Amino acid sequence: MNISDEGQPLDPVWLEINNNVCGGLAGAPSASWVAERFTGAGWSSRSASWESYEVETSWCRIEVDPTDGDTLLNGVVDPRRFEDLAAQLTRFGLQFSLELYDDDGELLGEIEAGTPPSAS
C-alpha cells in the first residue's frame, strides 16, 4: 500500500468532535485495498497499525480496520457529507453499512448499499 499525504487534511472544525460515523464493508479484499481506493480518489492515507489505515479528506477522517469477516470503518465525517461518503464507497463497488451519530450518541442516519465486489 502506498501511503499518501497528497489529499486535503481534515478541516480543523471536525477535530473537536467525537467519532460520529461507523460501519462495515462486506467482502473487501483487505484494509490496504480499501485505503488504496481512497488514495486513488484523492484522499490522504497513513498506516494506523500493522494492518489498519487512516484515510482523510477535508470533510472526513476514518480508520479502516480489518477483522476476521468484514472491514470496519470508524471516524468523523461532516454530517452534511455523510451521503458523499456512502457514494464514495459505492463508486468503489463495495457492499457496506454506515451509521451516523450525533454528539450524544443518538443515531441520526443509516445507509446500507452496494454490491459485493466481483471475484477476479
Side-chain angles (χ1 to χ4, degrees):
M1 161 67 201
N2 291 330
I3 304 300
S4 170
D5 59 2
E6 297 292 318
Q8 298 176 352
L10 185 67
D11 186 324
V13 70
W14 303 115
L15 294 174
E16 300 299 321
I17 68 169
N18 294 326
N19 285 359
N20 67 351
V21 67
C22 65
L25 308 174
S30 67
S32 175
W33 183 91
V34 174
E36 286 176 3
R37 296 305 162 292
F38 278 102
T39 300
W43 293 46
S44 63
S45 66
R46 62 189 147 275
S47 179
S49 71
W50 285 104
E51 296 178 343
S52 299
Y53 294 88
E54 188 176 76
V55 295
E56 81 177 15
T57 191
S58 63
W59 50 271
C60 183
R61 177 188 289 164
I62 53 175
E63 192 161 321
V64 181
D65 294 309
T67 65
D68 289 337
D70 294 344
T71 300
L72 301 179
L73 304 176
N74 68 70
V76 62
V77 65
D78 175 344
R80 299 168 297 185
R81 305 289 303 265
F82 181 59
E83 290 183 4
D84 294 338
L85 176 58
Q88 190 72 65
L89 295 171
T90 298
R91 283 190 289 278
F92 299 158
L94 293 169
Q95 182 178 8
F96 62 90
S97 62
L98 290 175
E99 297 175 347
L100 178 67
Y101 293 89
D102 67 14
D103 289 338
D104 296 322
E106 295 294 320
L107 182 65
L108 296 175
E110 297 177 276
I111 300 175
E112 290 191 33
T115 56
S118 61
S120 327

